Amino acid sequence: MNLVKANSASISRAAEIIKNGGLVAFPTETVYGLGADGLNSIAVAKIFEAKKRPAFNPLILHIADKSWLKKFSDIKNEKIDRLIEKFWPGPLTLVLPKTEIVPDIVTSGNTTVAVRMPNHSVALQLIKECGTPIAAPSANKFGHLSPTEASHVAKYLGDKVDMILDGGKCSVGVESTIIQLHENEIYLLRPGGLSKEDIEKEIGEIKTGVINPDKPNAPGQLPFHYSPQTPLKFFNKKFLDEKKKIGMLFFKENKIDFPFAGTKFLSLSGDLREAATNLFSMLHELEKENFDLILVEPIEEKGLGRAIMDRLKKATNKYNV
Ligand code: TXA
Ligand code: MG
């Protein structure tokens, strides 16, 4: 496995790998991405293979400069321009009508493409040196927890990537918010690191819900996702069983009198931003303990709480069937 600290020399090597059609896992402010040259279909196919990801699930193109967007979408829209001005680089992905040069494998044959400019110096330097957009999903196996540290990538995909660039822990910790422009309206496809409230402050109310119910195309619209290997459920007293080793993920304090085998707190000060940053890393740590069950306290679906609850609902759904 080729796990290296990100610096200018290793970033240049990583750019060479991508330009030659290889795979590099790299840090962004949200989660680690599994990147390939977004204009090279064969390279992009390796992402699906490595992740065991279904081919109907399209990828995000990551760009290094706002001016690159027009190569991949020629849409003109005032609200979209405002959002780019205000929130790029940052945890906001835009789904827009695509231009010819975007390969079908990136968009899974859709006429739209997802684009984002990440707010992370390593990612931006890497993309700039490649001179091509980097197609990248989160660097986890399909359906598993998302990686917020290089070691998470190494554990699940270490033998599948040509290089992992270690840029430390991701500062946001949940994936980008995805919105789509559709018939002049803006829809929220996936809550994420930028809150719906912050978007609405800029451009007014946006829509939620499925645009085309026959064709789920964002993970928020698939029934389950992001799950740890250990069963995970929302806290309910009926699950407490002293014979079982139970790990508990609290929001900020422990109000339950029970001998948990392990406890973690998303944010002792009750800060949603800190809670989002810790979400996946704490689930990774709890997963490592091999408990019989992990319970999690639900939190209020406001601001970043919406993205956190979205991930937790998808993760617990796997164990409700
Ligand atoms: O923060 C993030 O967004 C991270 C980092 C690496 O940038 N990436 C990420 O990628 O979360 P991924 O592939 O795990 O999730 C992106 C989702 C896809 O699952 C897909 O459903 C949706 O974006 N998506 C991509 N292209 C789309 C399109 N044309 N229409 C609708 N949804 C799309
Ligand atoms: Mg993902």
Side-chain angles (χ1 to χ4, degrees):
M1 188 203 321
N2 197 357
L3 192 157
V4 289
K5 283 254 171 294
N7 55 39
S8 53
S10 59
I11 293 172
S12 296
R13 290 210 308 281
E16 283 308 310
I17 291 172
I18 296 223
K19 285 194 275 183
N20 287 315
L23 293 184
V24 172
F26 63 99
T28 81
E29 80 281 30
T30 57
V31 301
Y32 275 72
L34 177 62
D37 177 348
L39 301 182
N40 175 342
S41 298
I42 295 170
V44 173
K46 293 181 189 165
I47 295 177
F48 287 89
E49 171 64 27
K51 280 197 64 141
K52 307 245 175 295
R53 175 178 173 116
F56 63 78
N57 204 353
L59 302 174
I60 299 172
L61 285 184
H62 295 71
I63 60 176
D65 192 279
K66 295 176 185 178
S67 65
W68 289 22
L69 175 64
K70 58 181 176 296
K71 294 187 235 174
F72 312 116
S73 176
D74 46 24
I75 195 76
K76 299 256 173 307
N77 180 282
E78 215 178 290
K79 287 183 178 172
I80 293 291
D81 289 346
R82 288 259 291 281
L83 293 176
I84 290 172
E85 182 59 33
K86 178 86 183 174
F87 297 117
W88 273 9
L92 175 68
T93 295
L94 303 174
V95 174
L96 303 168
K98 80 175 195 82
T99 56
E100 286 273 294
I101 66 163
V102 182
D104 278 342
I105 188 164
V106 170
T107 66
S108 306
N110 282 304
T111 54
T112 53
V113 62
V115 185
R116 160 168 127 81
M117 180 181 175
N119 187 15
H120 194 292
S121 60
V122 173
L124 291 172
Q125 187 59 32
L126 175 66
I127 303 163
K128 214 173 280 167
E129 286 198 31
C130 290
T132 182
I134 295 186
S138 50
N140 53 292
K141 285 226 166 100
F142 179 70
H144 287 215
L145 293 172
S146 298
T148 53
E149 293 173 28
S151 63
H152 301 157
V153 184
K155 185 168 161 198
Y156 293 109
L157 291 175
D159 56 339
K160 302 274 196 295
V161 293
D162 298 303
M163 188 190 267
I164 301 171
L165 281 175
D166 184 351
K169 190 172 168 179
C170 301
S171 60
V172 173
V174 289
E175 291 85 345
S176 61
T177 300
I178 305 181
I179 60 169
Q180 176 164 0
L181 176 69
H182 180 74
E183 292 174 352
N184 237 11
E185 297 277 6
I186 296 200
Y187 289 78
L188 178 70
L189 297 191
R190 175 176 76 181
L194 177 67
S195 73
K196 179 168 176 270
E197 289 85 342
D198 282 347
I199 293 174
E200 290 183 330
K201 247 181 252 159
E202 281 308 304
I203 59 165
E205 216 170 296
I206 63 173
K207 296 191 178 284
T208 50
V210 180
I211 298 175
N212 180 352
D214 299 332
K215 216 173 164 196
N217 52 13
Q221 295 159 3
L222 291 171
F224 55 79
H225 209 75
Y226 313 111
S227 309
Q229 302 294 86
T230 310
L232 175 76
K233 291 178 190 285
F234 282 113
F235 177 81
N236 187 312
K237 275 197 284 238
K238 73 179 181 200
F239 297 131
L240 295 180
D241 171 352
E242 299 203 6
K243 290 193 286 298
K244 280 192 179 155
K245 282 202 297 178
I246 302 178
M248 177 76 205
L249 182 59
F250 288 105
F251 178 39
K252 61 175 181 176
E253 58 192 325
N254 180 353
K255 290 170 259 168
I256 298 155
D257 182 21
F258 181 81
F260 289 110
T263 52
K264 297 220 171 272
F265 299 86
L266 286 172
S267 170
L268 292 169
S269 61
D271 176 45
L272 287 171
R273 197 162 289 276
E274 184 182 29
T277 306
N278 286 332
L279 177 69
F280 283 118
S281 56
M282 289 187 172
L283 286 172
H284 276 285
E285 285 165 25
L286 289 166
E287 178 185 66
K288 257 196 305 219
E289 299 286 340
N290 289 321
F291 295 135
D292 300 314
L293 176 67
I294 302 169
L295 296 176
V296 58
E297 178 183 356
I299 62 177
E300 200 185 353
E301 294 185 55
K302 267 200 181 148
L304 288 185
R306 200 176 282 115
I308 295 170
M309 283 299 282
D310 169 78
R311 305 306 184 269
L312 287 173
K313 284 179 196 169
K314 296 289 170 297
T316 52
N317 273 352
K318 177 169 175 188
Y319 298 105
N320 288 337
V321 289

